[in-house]
């Protein structure tokens, strides 16, 4: 009996970047996976908490979203994180058909 219907099974060589940095208040450690999957959005993984998210440029500008998704204490810390992501993530995502 087949219990699961496979939706996709892709193999891809991807670029992965590991970045650790500090601000005046907090330390961050991230793994960033640059892939053609997920509409070109990088997969960002917080190495301290295991939380992960697909981020695009609009998400990076939304400080409240970053604060909520990474459970950051203050909006100022989220603004620092936004500045970091603005510098290292692609400024646009290629919008192409992901699924057929």
């Amino acid at each position: 009996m087949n219990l699961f219907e496979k939706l996709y099974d892709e193999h891809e060589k991807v670029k992965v970047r590991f970045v650790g940095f500090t601000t005046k208040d907090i330390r961050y450690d991230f793994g960033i996976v640059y892939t053609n999957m997920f509409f070109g959005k990088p997969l960002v993984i917080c190495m301290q908490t295991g939380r992960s998210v697909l981020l695009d440029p609009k998400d990076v500008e939304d400080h409240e979203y970053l604060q909520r998704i990474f459970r950051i204490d203050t909006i100022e810390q989220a603004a620092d994180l936004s500045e970091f992501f603005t510098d290292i993530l692609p400024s646009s995502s290629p919008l192409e058909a992901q699924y057929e």
Side-chain angles (χ1 to χ4, degrees):
M1 183 165 139
N2 192 359
L3 296 176
F4 302 101
E5 180 181 346
K6 186 182 285 189
L7 299 176
Y8 60 89
D9 183 3
E10 300 289 329
H11 295 272
E12 178 183 15
K13 290 188 182 222
V14 298
K15 177 182 171 189
V16 179
R17 180 176 182 181
F18 295 97
V19 182
F21 66 97
T22 62
T23 65
K24 64 182 175 110
D25 297 321
I26 195 165
R27 175 188 171 137
Y28 296 99
D29 296 282
F30 290 104
I32 303 166
V33 180
Y34 298 93
T35 175
N36 291 319
M37 297 292 293
F38 314 116
F39 305 101
K41 293 181 181 183
L43 175 63
V44 178
I45 303 116
C46 177
M47 303 303 287
Q48 296 170 338
T49 64
R51 289 184 191 89
S52 62
V53 65
L54 297 168
L55 285 181
D56 69 16
K58 287 185 180 183
D59 296 330
V60 170
E61 294 172 5
D62 187 342
H63 298 172
E64 290 85 13
Y65 177 71
L66 292 176
Q67 185 177 11
R68 186 175 65 253
I69 203 72
F70 290 113
R71 296 187 184 166
I72 297 170
D73 294 333
T74 68
I75 199 71
E76 291 80 17
Q77 292 171 345
D80 291 341
L81 196 56
S82 173
E83 183 178 337
F84 167 74
F85 285 135
T86 298
D87 289 343
I88 68 159
L89 295 180
S91 59
S92 64
S93 297
L95 294 178
E96 23 183 276
Q98 189 71 49
Y99 308 104
E100 296 178 13

